[in-house]
Amino acid sequence: MHLMRVLESGLAALAKHLDVPSGENWNSVLGAIEGKLREVRRRVDGRDEEQWAAEAGVHLRFIKNAWRNHAMHPLERYDEERTAQIFENTRSFMQHLAGKLAMSSAEPFSGGGLAK
C-alpha cells in the first residue's frame, strides 16, 4: 500500500507534464495519461521521446493492474519475495520519471482521489 502511495506522486508529476487534469480515481487519470503517451510520435517528438513515453505507459498499466488494485483493496497478501518485486518495479518507474520530470512541481491529487 505504501508503494502505491509513492506512485501517486509520480502519477501526479506525469499528469502535470502531459497537461492531464487530475481525476477522481487512478483509472480515469491513467486512461488520459495513456492517451497522451500514445500521441507521442517519432517523426514529431523524436525517437527518444517516443521510447520514453512508451516505457512510461507500460510501467503505469503494469503496476496498476498487477498490484495497485489488489494492494489497495484487501484481495491479496504479499510475501517477502513478491513485496521485493513490487518495490523494484515501483523504484524502476519512479527512476524513469525522475530522469525527465521535476517531481517537486507536481500538484497532489485533490482529496486523495487516487486512493479510491
Side-chain angles (χ1 to χ4, degrees), residues 14 18 30 33-38 49-65 93 96-97:
L14 185 54
L18 296 171
L30 284 173
I33 288 173
E34 285 178 325
K36 292 277 191 164
L37 292 173
R38 283 192 296 271
E49 284 297 309
E50 181 185 50
Q51 183 66 31
W52 187 90
E55 290 176 16
V58 168
H59 278 294
L60 283 175
R61 188 53 62 185
F62 183 71
I63 289 168
K64 180 195 182 288
N65 287 347
F93 175 64
H96 183 74
L97 294 181

Side-chain angles (χ1 to χ4, degrees), residues 1-50:
M1 178 187 76
H2 296 292
L3 291 171
M4 298 307 105
R5 296 294 299 191
V6 168
L7 289 172
E8 288 184 14
S9 295
L11 185 57
L14 185 54
K16 183 175 181 176
H17 175 74
L18 296 171
D19 293 323
V20 170
S22 60
E24 290 299 313
N25 62 56
W26 276 58
N27 200 45
S28 64
V29 175
L30 284 173
I33 288 173
E34 285 178 325
K36 292 277 191 164
L37 292 173
R38 283 192 296 271
E39 292 174 5
V40 176
R41 297 285 183 250
R42 183 178 303 212
R43 288 186 179 164
V44 176
D45 304 295
R47 182 179 157 201
D48 290 343
E49 284 297 309
E50 181 185 50

Side-chain angles (χ1 to χ4, degrees), residues 87-104:
F87 175 82
E88 286 303 319
N89 280 281
T90 300
R91 184 173 77 110
S92 176
F93 175 64
M94 295 301 285
Q95 286 176 330
H96 183 74
L97 294 181
K100 182 173 214 50
L101 308 180
M103 301 300 275
S104 62

